[in-house]
Amino acid sequence: GDFIYGSQGTKAMCTAQGFFIQLGTTSAFLNVSLAIFYLCSIKYSMGSASMAKRKIWLFIVPILIGFGCAFAGLPFYDNMFMWCNNSADWWPEIPIVIAIIVATSIMASLYLHVYRTEKAAREYRVGSSEKDKRTKATLLQCFWYLISFYFTWPPYLALQMMWSSGKAYSMYGFAIFAGALVPLQGFWNFCTYIRTRMRISGYRPMSTLVSYMSPSKIRAAFSRPPDASTSI
């Protein structure tokens, strides 16, 4: 077997680690389900009652795909220098590629739908309705959730392809970078959730920071005369 200084464990432990790393790609499929949810809600105007019947499948299908890929990789889990993962050539990356393509296509479809709807509405009225505002807010929320998806999986996908081609062994820095991003899918989703809650409550930290950093306030702070009580 491979010798790595300071490593401990067995083949079974390596297989277990590879299984759960492969299973972790389920979160990519769940984000695709989230994109499908937004597509159905915005573009196809499916209400809560209609979506309630479909929500369960948006959870079940990604989980089944994730477990299917994890069990299919059992014969291939092996040492991959940085961790134990699926050592088979190319096929483990195919589900992630499909997830990226589907999520990106759905985002493009939503943008085009909102753009065309608002363009048609502007021809018949002036201003925007409350429904348009809700649509924009929902679309923006969808965009931020998918950004968390893009922050996580394209680097992982590139790393896995580099393992298959044998190039990753000479790019230790990128391997560490991509490996550090893989477990952060939940963190990016949490940041998006917190951002939404702060906007609902009226708290906008970035706007406050930008306002304090405006040129006029910076000049005023530096041009302010010294306080008499602090002068020597």
Side-chain angles (χ1 to χ4, degrees):
D2 299 322
F3 176 77
I4 299 178
Y5 179 78
S7 65
Q8 297 183 11
T10 63
K11 176 63 177 177
M13 294 176 65
C14 182
T15 300
Q17 183 188 43
F19 177 88
F20 284 107
I21 289 178
Q22 183 70 52
L23 186 62
T25 60
T26 303
S27 62
F29 311 137
L30 286 170
N31 266 55
V32 172
S33 287
L34 181 65
I36 294 173
F37 173 81
Y38 280 113
L39 180 71
C40 294
S41 300
I42 298 173
K43 186 173 182 179
Y44 298 109
S45 302
M46 294 184 180
S48 300
S50 179
M51 288 305 300
K53 303 175 182 178
R54 295 172 171 84
K55 280 183 180 179
I56 184 65
W57 292 108
L58 292 178
F59 280 100
I60 290 177
V61 173
I63 292 173
L64 289 178
I65 294 174
F67 271 101
C69 292
F71 281 109
L74 282 175
F76 305 103
Y77 295 130
D78 200 358
N79 173 41
M80 299 288 288
F81 181 64
M82 188 171 62
W83 50 29
C84 290
N85 204 346
N86 196 324
S87 62
D89 290 338
W90 308 116
W91 77 257
E93 289 76 58
I94 293 177
I96 302 297
V97 172
I98 294 174
I100 292 175
I101 293 174
V102 171
T104 304
S105 300
I106 291 174
M107 277 293 296
S109 177
L110 284 174
Y111 270 117
L112 286 174
H113 170 73
V114 172
Y115 171 77
R116 290 169 180 170
T117 301
E118 293 181 350
K119 182 179 179 181
R122 282 196 297 269
E123 296 179 359
Y124 298 98
R125 58 176 171 76
V126 178
S128 59
S129 67
E130 192 65 28
K131 182 178 179 181
D132 291 333
K133 293 179 180 178
R134 289 197 302 267
T135 300
K136 289 181 180 179
T138 305
L139 182 60
L140 186 61
Q141 183 72 1
C142 176
F143 171 78
W144 283 111
Y145 268 113
L146 287 178
I147 281 294
S148 70
F149 173 82
Y150 299 139
F151 279 168
T152 304
W153 294 111
Y156 171 82
L157 177 63
L159 177 62
Q160 288 298 100
M161 289 184 172
M162 290 168 65
W163 287 132
S164 297
S165 64
K167 297 179 180 179
Y169 296 95
S170 59
M171 300 183 66
Y172 182 73
F174 179 76
I176 293 296
F177 170 75
L181 290 177
V182 171
L184 294 181
Q185 172 77 78
F187 173 75
W188 301 129
N189 284 347
F190 170 76
C191 290
T192 302
Y193 174 78
I194 290 297
R195 173 188 172 275
T196 304
R197 302 307 300 175
M198 288 192 297
R199 291 183 67 85
I200 292 175
S201 63
Y203 178 61
R204 293 175 172 82
M206 288 303 298
S207 300
T208 304
L209 179 62
V210 169
S211 66
Y212 276 111
M213 295 181 65
S214 63
S216 59
K217 290 192 175 183
I218 293 175
R219 285 195 299 270
F222 281 98
S223 62
R224 184 180 302 166
D227 190 0
S229 61
T230 61
S231 60
I232 299 176

